[in-house]
Amino acid sequence: QVQLVASGGGMVQTGGSLRLSCAASGAFSGYNMGWFRQPPGKEREFVAAIRRSGGDTYYASSVKGRFTISGDNGKNTMALQMNSLKPEDTAVYYCAATHRWMVVDVNEFYFWGQGTQVTVSS
């Protein structure tokens, strides 16, 4: 079993930055990690993912160039640096884990952390 704990959300103005963190524990070896978000009244959507082995990454087009995902295998942690934030980035952000790679569907991720709220004001 894998446990994920997300942290770092908050409120920021347009153009600002936030850094989210996710700590993993349990039988975590071999899992890739990702971030999803769920805007108010909308479905959960993929944001970014990082491969545990090698550190490859991929992003949703809406955040590419503004968000950076990173991981620390030694500490079993993952981070999402979010820059140039926009009001449309407002959402509850979730970290998740999967054995798969290059997948964006919520159903492909097996373990989920609790959400952390990010609010971007205009």
Side-chain angles (χ1 to χ4, degrees), residues 104-118:
V104 299
D105 193 299
V106 295
N107 295 314
E108 302 284 2
F109 285 75
Y110 313 136
F111 300 102
W112 293 83
Q114 89 292 2
T116 185
Q117 177 71 47
V118 171

Side-chain angles (χ1 to χ4, degrees), residues 11-121:
M11 183 177 291
V12 66
Q13 292 186 331
T14 297
S17 299
L18 280 174
R19 185 176 178 87
L20 305 183
S21 296
C22 180
S25 60
F28 189 67
S29 178
Y31 284 94
N32 302 316
M33 297 183 75
W35 288 97
F36 283 73
R37 66 186 182 186
Q38 188 161 13
K42 298 184 179 180
E43 296 196 351
R44 197 170 298 188
E45 63 186 23
F46 173 79
V47 174
I50 185 165
R51 192 171 216 166
R52 182 173 178 84
S53 175
D56 296 331
T57 61
Y58 59 100
Y59 297 89
S61 58
S62 59
V63 307
K64 197 169 186 177
R66 300 187 298 122
F67 291 10
T68 302
I69 189 171
S70 60
D72 185 332
N73 289 345
K75 297 180 179 179
N76 279 348
T77 59
M78 172 181 66
L80 184 69
Q81 178 65 41
M82 305 184 294
N83 298 330
S84 301
L85 283 162
K86 306 174 182 179
E88 51 263 44
D89 294 317
T90 294
V92 178
Y93 284 70
Y94 298 88
C95 57
T98 179
H99 275 307
R100 300 184 177 272
W101 183 237
M102 294 300 288
V103 291
V104 299
D105 193 299
V106 295
N107 295 314
E108 302 284 2
F109 285 75
Y110 313 136
F111 300 102
W112 293 83
Q114 89 292 2
T116 185
Q117 177 71 47
V118 171
T119 302
V120 184
S121 61

